[in-house]
Amino acid sequence: MLSSARARSTRGVRIAATAVVLGVVAAGVPQVAEVAEAAPDAVWQQRASATYDAMQDHLYTGAAGHGLYRENTDTSSGNPYSYLWEYREATQAALDLQGIAGVGPAYANSAAARVDGFELYHAVKPGGRAGYESYLPAPIGTGGDVYYDDNAVVGLSLISQYQATSDPEYLDRARGAFDIAARGWNADAALTCPGGSDWIDRADNTTRGANVTGLSAQLAAHLYEETGESSYLRWSTKAYNWNNKCLKESAGLYRNSINDDGTVDPTLWTYNSGAMIGTATILFRATEDPKYLQQATSAARASLRYWTAENRLQQQPAVFNAFYFKDLLLLDSVQHDPSYRAAIEQYATATWRDNRDADTGLFHFQPSGGGDPAWDRPAATLDQAAMVQVFAVLGWSADRLGQVS
């Protein structure tokens, strides 16, 4: 079994060796390309920092507020603090800023503090069922349900912090988040298309989603790559294959969910495309099986054609696009395709121009989280955090993109 340190130190060697194999014996299989290590455009670093500062100025509650965030800029109603989803995205924003060469160390303390803040959302229900809850449990809040997709993305943030610091505490915590997310696997053989991950840890849940299944698969793939433990590989491939069998619309596109009665919600979201591209990329790196690179590349190219047509990308929630873009850049770190970054930069440029209030530095979208600006809608933490992430990863150097999570 590979140790986590060994797994990371040999990752580049494994990929280079696989490139040789692919080029020699696998005609027609995509080859792994060298990525030029050109310095990224500094404008993205500047925009990431400016957007983060605006989010901190208008939405961060500070030490007096437990280091948490508000849901949006409207303080006249609602909860005093954000849900876990918003908090996770703000945390990931700090983590992505931490990844910018030369700038990142200035955000290391903030990233560590935000990651530690996840524990404020963690609770153990009667009977010993632990999880990160959708809202803060007592004594700060009134608690909430355990959503398995929330727990999967918390795990992805913990992987980000582990890769940035090599501190095994974060890897252990990522394992714990995976253990929670993995509880969502539905083993009822009587269901239509058995398997898949439930959305919420509740007896009345009837939904198995592409999002939670794909994001949990991505987390498991990371854990296999970092630890070499075969149980993570089995879980990741099981979930990845289920999404492809039960919810795949076409290459790179996945229907939202399937209910226990067999009905399917056909809605397509960018982050479902992204999670499957990211999972396949990591599985390729970890197993050297060229089929995963083929599948990731096919999914990326087909989904990008779909999402960039008819202004679809602009209509998607910014936070879903952040997931998708980072998974495209993760694939780009293994097999370079300039169309990925070009599409991301086009979106980022247009959104900075059209959706940002220059007076506050905050971004405004429709209630969906995407589309044209709704200037009278309170600026949301979720949206600001998403745009920080998009700008920040565009500011990463090419040699670091393999750690995008």
Side-chain angles (χ1 to χ4, degrees), residues 342-377:
I344 300 167
E345 288 190 336
Q346 183 177 21
Y347 172 87
T349 299
T351 306
W352 177 271
R353 181 191 65 223
D354 298 336
N355 294 77
R356 179 177 178 268
D357 181 339
D359 290 335
T360 64
L362 296 173
F363 287 79
H364 293 258
F365 297 93
Q366 296 296 311
S368 65
D372 295 334
W375 298 116
D376 58 348
R377 177 175 174 255

Side-chain angles (χ1 to χ4, degrees), residues 44 313-319 321-322 325 342-353 365 369-371 387 390-391:
W44 301 118
L313 197 57
Q314 193 255 1
Q315 298 302 317
Q316 285 282 298
V319 67
N321 287 342
F325 294 156
I344 300 167
E345 288 190 336
Q346 183 177 21
Y347 172 87
T349 299
T351 306
W352 177 271
R353 181 191 65 223
F365 297 93
M387 295 313 303
V390 172
F391 299 141

Side-chain angles (χ1 to χ4, degrees), residues 26-299:
V29 176
Q31 294 189 28
V32 179
E34 283 287 329
V35 179
E37 295 185 10
D41 190 337
V43 69
W44 301 118
Q45 302 174 4
Q46 295 162 2
R47 289 179 178 182
S49 294
T51 305
Y52 184 77
D53 289 346
M55 181 175 73
Q56 296 300 100
D57 288 345
H58 294 278
L59 292 157
Y60 179 58
T61 64
H66 309 283
L68 296 165
Y69 289 84
R70 291 190 293 274
E71 188 172 0
N72 55 54
T73 52
D74 179 8
T75 60
S76 65
S77 61
N79 293 317
Y81 304 111
S82 78
Y83 291 98
L84 174 60
W85 189 20
E86 289 90 353
Y87 183 82
R88 186 271 172 182
E89 299 312 319
T91 298
Q92 191 62 46
L95 288 165
D96 290 341
L97 282 164
Q98 183 177 223
I100 300 176
V103 176
Y107 295 95
N109 289 339
S110 293
R114 298 294 87 74
V115 169
D116 286 347
F118 282 139
E119 301 313 305
L120 297 175
Y121 289 86
H122 190 273
V124 180
K125 297 285 191 184
R129 204 165 174 86
Y132 293 95
E133 299 190 357
S134 59
Y135 193 67
L136 296 147
I140 300 175
T142 56
D145 291 309
V146 171
Y147 288 82
Y148 290 124
D149 54 340
D150 283 354
N151 282 263
V153 295
V154 166
L156 291 175
S157 289
L158 291 165
I159 289 289
S160 292
Q161 182 68 342
Y162 172 64
Q163 291 178 335
T165 66
S166 298
D167 186 336
E169 174 195 347
Y170 297 114
L171 182 61
D172 288 342
R173 289 170 61 186
R175 287 176 181 266
F178 171 76
D179 289 344
I180 299 164
R183 291 200 319 249
W185 186 261
N186 194 316
D188 186 349
L191 296 176
T192 301
C193 215
S197 292
D198 289 340
W199 180 40
I200 184 172
D201 186 13
R202 222 167 53 194
D204 61 352
N205 176 84
T206 60
T207 301
R208 292 165 286 153
N211 62 342
V212 60
T213 306
L215 293 165
S216 298
Q218 189 169 4
L219 176 56
H222 272 302
L223 288 169
Y224 173 65
E225 186 174 48
E226 298 294 353
T227 69
E229 294 179 18
S230 59
S231 61
Y232 291 125
L233 177 61
R234 289 193 298 271
W235 207 100
S236 182
T237 55
K238 173 180 70 173
Y240 176 79
N241 291 339
W242 185 86
N243 258 359
N244 278 320
K245 176 184 177 183
C246 298
L247 289 175
K248 185 176 179 179
E249 174 77 19
S250 59
L253 299 175
Y254 294 85
R255 291 166 293 209
N256 181 70
S257 59
I258 184 170
N259 289 337
D260 289 352
D261 64 5
T263 59
V264 173
D265 177 351
T267 310
L268 304 175
W269 302 109
T270 46
Y271 76 147
N272 289 335
S273 298
M276 294 294 281
I277 293 166
T279 299
T281 301
I282 301 162
L283 288 174
F284 166 68
R285 291 194 316 201
T287 68
E288 302 178 11
D289 188 335
K291 75 179 181 185
Y292 291 118
L293 182 57
Q294 288 180 305
Q295 292 168 7
T297 302
S298 174

